[in-house]
Amino acid sequence: MAQQETQARSSGEQYRFKFMMKFIASDLEAAKGKARRALGDKAIIISVRELPSGDVEVTASDKPAPAAPQPAPKAKFAGAAHEAVDEGPFKMGAGARLNEKIESKFSADALSKLSSKLTGGNSARKLDMSDVNVRSMAEILAPHGVGDALLSALVDGARKSQIDEDLYRLETAFRETFVFAPMHFSPASPIMLVGPTGAGKTSSAAKLAAASQENGPPATMITADVGRAGAIDQIRAYGDALGAAYFIAESPLDVAQILRSNRPTGAVIFDTPGVSPFDSGDIAALRSYREAADAEPVLVLSASGDADEYVDWAIAFKDIGVKRCILTKFDATKRVGAGLRAAFEGGLALAHFSETAFISEGLLTASPEFLARRLIATRPGKIG
């Protein structure tokens, strides 16, 4: 390793690296250890810097030639969350209570209490299909799978439209039924994205970082998604493309050190792995990371999917502090009711929508106008 460091320093600009990443720890060896876990045993240390906080920052790179993939470091989620209970000098606030056994805090009693709130308990009155406006709204909305409760609420909201036309009735319905609350960026208010695997959390993180940099300082991107194949490469690619600082966090202690040592001046976007809201270890880990970053958890869901499952997810994540959501993949489906139903029945505000896979095109600010036009433009079919 020492020889590699010397070679890296002496070769200067002629030595071309595939990428570089920064790792922060309480001492040099710990920082080097993080670099090796992320980049492999042949990681090259580019520079070492002592930070004002007393921590050490190491900049490292993979070797220029392609190397065999190294095992990803194990994430502190699911069963591995038990290993993260004692974070040594890192002390959570009273809410995390990391010194207690996870099972005692997130016990079967809590899950039993939660299960009583889940799908199956919502009821909606029968709609009067003889009313031409009610029938028109139902023909537009029902094929999207919005569910009876949301359908009834939207029909009620549509009655307040001052213009007797489907588009305006639908805009009014969404405006009356949902709260629309887009993100506002501040280094003092980190955003932590949570949700199922494949929902688009990492691409949403990059889009949020890009949006924050349009009129503000460079963003700081942090990922705890170190167990998924390709996740580290993905955060590197986004960080390099955006010119944003990006870091890997293997534990809540890492998050606290990153924020303390770097003192971000722009948005802080924290990406987490897909976890189950019904696994006590996963939820314990998310709570720990949330408190370490003092972040707002935001749920990311695909617009289309298993509606009942999505509702359960929305309700479960609301229990750990989620208040709003991002709905993605509007471009990949006709039926978009599942995500909307989850937000409605989970009591979550709508923050942003995504209808493209391209980071440069960003996230859309959630609005009733977009939803009305989207649902009318792509009708899956007509009810009989």
Side-chain angles (χ1 to χ4, degrees), residues 103-265:
E103 291 84 357
S104 67
K105 180 170 176 54
F106 305 102
S107 62
D109 290 342
L111 293 179
S112 176
K113 179 181 177 182
L114 175 62
S115 67
S116 67
K117 304 177 185 176
L118 299 182
T119 51
N122 292 304
S123 60
R125 59 178 171 74
K126 187 175 180 62
L127 297 176
D128 178 10
M129 299 301 287
S130 65
D131 184 319
V132 64
N133 288 334
V134 170
R135 183 172 179 81
S136 178
M137 287 294 99
E139 286 180 340
I140 295 170
L141 293 164
H144 283 278
V146 297
D148 291 342
L150 177 53
L151 178 57
S152 294
L154 290 169
V155 167
D156 285 343
R159 298 181 195 280
K160 298 184 180 181
S161 175
Q162 297 180 3
I163 301 177
D164 187 20
E165 198 275 329
D166 282 347
L167 179 63
Y168 291 101
R169 279 197 296 269
L170 203 51
E171 285 184 12
T172 304
F174 283 118
R175 186 175 293 108
E176 292 291 326
T177 304
F178 286 98
V179 173
F180 295 88
M183 304 291 176
H184 297 285
F185 304 106
S186 166
S189 303
I191 296 166
M192 185 175 90
L193 302 182
V194 301
T197 299
K201 293 187 299 298
T202 305
S203 60
S204 293
K207 291 176 181 180
L208 288 172
S212 75
Q213 294 179 175
E214 288 182 359
N215 298 301
T220 295
M221 299 178 67
I222 304 172
T223 183
D225 191 5
V226 295
R228 176 173 59 88
I232 294 176
D233 289 335
Q234 195 175 15
I235 195 77
R236 288 187 197 118
Y238 288 152
D240 288 341
L242 294 171
Y246 52 98
F247 300 91
I248 295 172
E250 296 183 48
S251 72
L253 175 60
D254 287 348
V255 176
Q257 288 179 320
I258 289 166
L259 296 178
R260 182 179 66 245
S261 300
N262 286 273
R263 302 183 185 280
T265 57

Side-chain angles (χ1 to χ4, degrees), residues 369-382:
E369 292 80 10
F370 171 84
L371 288 176
R373 285 161 175 74
R374 176 62 172 77
L375 268 69
I376 286 180
T378 56
R379 298 191 191 189
K382 297 260 187 188

Side-chain angles (χ1 to χ4, degrees), residues 245-322:
Y246 52 98
F247 300 91
I248 295 172
E250 296 183 48
S251 72
L253 175 60
D254 287 348
V255 176
Q257 288 179 320
I258 289 166
L259 296 178
R260 182 179 66 245
S261 300
N262 286 273
R263 302 183 185 280
T265 57
V268 177
I269 313 297
F270 183 14
D271 183 29
T272 66
V275 300
S276 169
F278 311 113
D279 184 294
S280 59
D282 284 353
I283 294 301
L286 283 181
R287 286 182 184 268
S288 299
Y289 278 103
R290 184 199 69 195
E291 295 202 8
D294 192 20
E296 177 195 353
V298 176
L299 179 61
V300 180
L301 286 175
S302 174
S304 179
D306 186 318
D308 287 341
E309 188 74 16
Y310 279 10
V311 172
D312 289 353
W313 275 68
I315 294 172
F317 275 113
K318 187 175 181 180
D319 195 51
I320 65 166
V322 169

Side-chain angles (χ1 to χ4, degrees), residues 182 207 326 330 351-355 361-367 370:
K207 291 176 181 180
I326 296 171
F330 274 86
H352 294 278
F353 301 139
S354 173
E355 61 173 355
E361 297 182 22
L363 293 173
L364 302 173
T365 298
S367 71
F370 171 84

